[in-house]
Structures are given as structure tokens and as C-alpha cells.
Amino acid sequence: MGSKPVLVVTTDGLDTATLESALAETPASITQLPDVTDLFDTLTHSAFHALVLPETVDDQSGADIAYGVRKLFPDLPVIVAGADPAAVSDALDVTAVESSTHLEDAVAEAVRDCLDAEPPTVAGRPPSPMETLLLSLFNEMPDHLYAKDEQARHVLLGRGFNEPTDRLGLTDVEVPELADEHAKAALRDELDVIEEDTDQIEVEEFLDLDASYVRTRKMPWYDSTGDVQGIVGHTQDITERKLREHAFRRQNERMVKVALVASHELRNELQIAYGRLEELADCDGPTADIEESLSQISAIIDTVVELSTSDPGGSVQHDEIEQIPKQTHVWLSRLSREVWDTLADSEARLTFDGDTRIVADQESAGLLLQILFQNALEHAGPSVTVTVGTTADGFFVADDGPGIDVEPPDRVFDAGHTAVPENTGFGLYVARRVAADHGWTISMSESESGGARFDIGNVDCQA
């Protein structure tokens, strides 16, 4: 009878020499694995008839690691040494051996029982080219690749952002470093894909982890019968692209300011010209041509304002065809941080009171946030604290500045209204227009600290 290979993870809690001695009379050959991060590589590239894991592996539960192994190698017997059998789910289908003074003997007995069974269909044979190709993809891709089962629990991770065993057996809500709101939304997205309520998910996020901005796609993982058995995810670091977008946003902001200032000044001159034209109304001179020219100039000004405040990636539609913004799911915190980074210096501070995912055109919604942030910086000074938070039907932007003393408050949204002499007075007017384009409402009130607060309501939130 040939020797049957057994893989033993030796990181913690198990005396491998004693185990080998206990198995001396059995056809078992032990392969030691001192680094658990190589577990899936080893299982894929070599044939094994059993796997032995300690109760804990580098502070991670051996049962959680066994969960991922069982999902990818369902016929491979797995033994968790030192684990309480009552704490290991029967559905996991692993052998839990309680810790005792004769732990290695008990593990050896469990191994002997496994070796009497038929050899496993995957881990007990050489890998196929497809298996090694996919493992290479997971290991070498600089992005984060991962697979989750029908309960949205991690069963395989690439090396892009994490170690391959860091999150095995856990859903996102059980991963401590993930923000609660984001983890719950991610789990809901994955269950929607698994339950076939949606084909795939794509969302951009801001993370307080190694990568600042990421884009995640999640797609179905099909089994051999064509049924969905989980999801495959791809998370890409897009921080460099976002930084380029920030630079473009700053450049576009300067262009918008130039256009609005010029338009404001030209409107002032037009009012003077129309006044003079009225004085000529009783004269016999050819005033009709002058009035036509002034009307054309007014139309040109309107077009400049329209172009300067529209989505830079879109186009202005005419002939009574309404421009429809591209509506996507975007995290309020991600979009707020992205805009804030283009405006504020180190003295100013952005804080959050909750988070939600809104359905919006990102460019125009970003313009609205930009205007509200600029308003806070201009009225409250460079050391202002701005808070973005959620409400029952949308979100708010508040600051701790002196507030805006205007009666009635809605006058701040009038075109040309400003309390800062060098401003055009078009900022909050444009903000109201952006809100209206989305079907949102916007109102101003006093914040808890006495500053200005803007509430945006009637927002489609998906948190």
C-alpha cells in the first residue's frame, strides 16, 4: 500500500514530531506547512488525503480557515486540532479534536480514520491547467480578487489587498476593519447577486485602509449545473485616477468661476444698455436693431452659464430634449471626501454623522457638494469644521461658522445674491438647480453650532 500524504499546518499548538511518531505504523506521510498563507497554493499544486489545522492559526480561527477549504475542496477530510466540537458547526463537516494531554494521539486516530476513506476528488489528484491558471490569477493580480459562497462568506482571497486566509469563513459584516454601513451594504449587494435579483454590482468607495479610493465589481459564481453558488469579486485601487480627476475638477472649477463672473458682469452692462434703450423709445432712431443685438447677447450669456454648469462629460441638449444625467449608486462619504480634497487645506476639517449610498449623477452631485463646501470655507474661514450627515429623506451639510443672516433664508438661492463682495452670487443658485435636476429639495437653516446648515431632501438612498 502506498503512502498517503497528509498536510499539517504547524504554526501553533501542535507537536508535529509527536504526531508523526503516533502515525508511524500507518501509511501516512506528513508534509509540514509553516506558513498558512501558502495553504491554497499547496493544496492546489499537490495531492493530499487529509488536512490538519490547529485551533488557532496566527490568531485566526482554524474553523474559519477550514470553512474556506471545505468550500473549494469539498471531499478533503479536515481535522481541527484542539477545537471544541460543540463550537464547530456540524454543517462545516470537519473533525474537531478536543484539546487534551494526548492531543497528538487523538489527532493521529482521526487521521487514520480519514485515510480509510476514498481519496478526495480535487486535493487528492494533480491539478488541472485551469486550476493552476486561476490560482495564479488570484495570487499575481495586483488588485483584490476574492470568492464568496452562497452565504457571502469568504472562501478564497488573492494577495492584492489581504493575505489569502485573512477573511476566510467571514462575511463583510464580521470583518472588524470594515465600516459598519459599508459592510452591511456590501453584504446586501452580494446576496442580491446570489439570489439573482441583479446581474452584477459595481460601486466606488472611499476606504480608510491601504487604498483610498476603490472600485468594486461583484459577479455570480456558477457551479457545474449553472446555478449560482456565490460571487466572484474584483476590487481595484483607483486612487491615482481619482487624483487626476481632482486636478481636472479644480481646473473646471476655475473655468466655471470665470464664466459666471463674466456672465454676471455682462448682465450688469446689459441692464444699463436696456435702460438707455428705453430712453430712446420715444426717438425716431432705429432701436429695433439695437434691441435684437442685446437679445442675442443675453442668449449667449445664458448659453455660457448653461455650458459652464453642466456635466463636463455630457452635452447640452436642445430642441426640447431634456438632458438626463447618468444615475449611479455612490457613497455620500466617498463623494464628499473626493470633492473636499480638491478645496480645503489642512486647517479645515470634514466630519461625518452617518453615511448612506445615494442614487445620483456623480458629476452634478459633486458640483452641489463643492458649492456647499466652498460656501462654508468662504463664510466660516479656513479653519471651519464641516459635517456631512444623513437625514430621514436625504443628507445635510453643516458648518460651525457664524451662519448666514438672510431673511427669508431662501433668498440665498437667488441668482446674484451674495454677502461676499468678490463673489458672483451664482453658487447657491446653481446648487438649487442641480438639486432640482435630481428631483431633490434644498433648504437652509441654522446648524447646531450656530453656523449654516443645508438640507437636501427627497433623495433616493440605498443604505
Side-chain angles (χ1 to χ4, degrees), residues 52-356:
V52 179
L53 293 165
E55 179 189 12
T56 59
V57 183
D58 297 335
D59 297 324
Q60 187 174 358
S61 166
D64 286 342
I65 295 175
Y67 187 95
V69 171
R70 292 291 300 167
K71 289 296 180 177
L72 296 178
F73 303 94
D75 299 309
L76 175 66
V78 179
I79 301 160
V80 182
D84 181 1
V88 178
S89 170
D90 292 338
L92 187 55
D93 193 22
V94 304
T95 302
V97 179
E98 284 189 284
S99 181
S100 67
T101 54
H102 302 289
L103 175 62
E104 287 73 17
D105 290 336
V107 171
E109 183 178 352
V111 169
R112 281 191 289 270
D113 291 341
C114 294
L115 297 184
D116 291 336
E118 291 296 319
T121 59
V122 177
R125 60 163 173 78
S128 69
M130 179 62 75
E131 290 164 353
T132 57
L133 184 152
L134 290 177
L135 185 64
S136 297
L137 180 67
F138 268 73
N139 284 341
E140 303 304 326
M141 179 77 78
D143 302 333
H144 179 39
L145 287 174
Y146 49 94
K148 301 183 182 182
D149 68 0
E150 70 280 356
Q151 299 181 55
R153 295 186 177 277
H154 289 83
V155 297
L156 184 63
L157 294 92
R159 301 178 186 273
F161 290 7
N162 303 97
E163 290 298 334
T165 57
D166 279 352
R167 301 179 180 181
L168 288 182
L170 305 179
T171 65
D172 278 355
V173 296
E174 297 168 319
V175 177
E177 63 264 30
L178 296 180
D180 186 56
E181 300 97 333
H182 291 225
K184 289 178 179 177
L187 178 60
R188 186 171 57 250
D189 287 344
E190 290 156 7
L191 293 177
D192 284 345
V193 174
I194 293 166
E195 295 166 5
E196 301 184 74
D197 290 333
T198 184
D199 292 335
Q200 66 176 20
I201 294 294
E202 180 172 347
V203 64
E204 291 184 3
E205 299 176 273
F206 180 92
L207 302 178
D208 290 319
L209 301 173
D210 293 337
S212 296
Y213 296 101
V214 298
R215 178 172 57 199
T216 294
R217 294 185 178 92
K218 298 174 183 179
M219 298 146 286
W221 170 19
Y222 298 102
D223 63 16
S224 59
T225 65
D227 294 328
V228 177
Q229 70 173 53
I231 64 110
V232 178
H234 171 223
T235 298
Q236 181 183 23
D237 182 355
I238 57 171
T239 303
E240 289 189 10
R241 194 199 82 191
K242 285 299 178 184
L243 293 177
R244 290 194 297 270
E245 289 180 3
H246 292 177
F248 173 76
R249 188 185 295 276
R250 286 192 293 269
Q251 180 183 16
N252 186 63
E253 175 195 347
R254 289 192 293 269
M255 295 173 63
V256 169
K257 285 183 176 179
V258 169
L260 293 178
V261 169
S263 299
H264 182 58
E265 296 301 325
L266 287 171
R267 289 189 197 281
N268 289 339
E269 296 301 321
L270 275 176
Q271 289 178 357
I272 295 172
Y274 274 120
R276 296 291 186 266
L277 186 62
E278 289 179 2
E279 295 175 4
L280 296 175
D282 296 331
C283 301
D284 295 331
T287 59
D289 290 342
I290 298 174
E291 185 172 3
E292 175 64 22
S293 295
L294 294 178
S295 295
Q296 290 183 10
I297 294 173
S298 181
I300 291 171
I301 293 171
D302 289 340
T303 301
V304 168
V305 172
E306 177 74 21
L307 288 170
S308 65
T309 57
S310 296
D311 178 357
S315 59
V316 178
Q317 306 291 326
H318 297 288
D319 300 327
E320 300 182 354
I321 299 177
E322 182 181 0
Q323 182 179 353
I324 302 175
K326 181 184 178 183
Q327 303 281 312
T328 58
H329 291 222
V330 55
W331 282 101
L332 178 62
S333 63
R334 195 274 293 172
L335 188 59
S336 298
R337 290 180 189 273
E338 185 176 331
V339 174
W340 180 261
D341 288 346
T342 69
L343 300 175
D345 57 26
S346 58
E347 290 184 62
R349 197 163 67 99
L350 179 67
T351 64
F352 292 93
D353 183 10
D355 198 6
T356 186

Side-chain angles (χ1 to χ4, degrees), residues 411-433:
R411 278 192 59 207
V412 298
F413 299 108
D414 292 344
H417 176 84
T418 179
V420 181
E422 62 270 20
N423 282 2
T424 65
F426 279 96
L428 293 177
Y429 166 77
V430 173
R432 182 172 63 177
R433 192 178 115 185

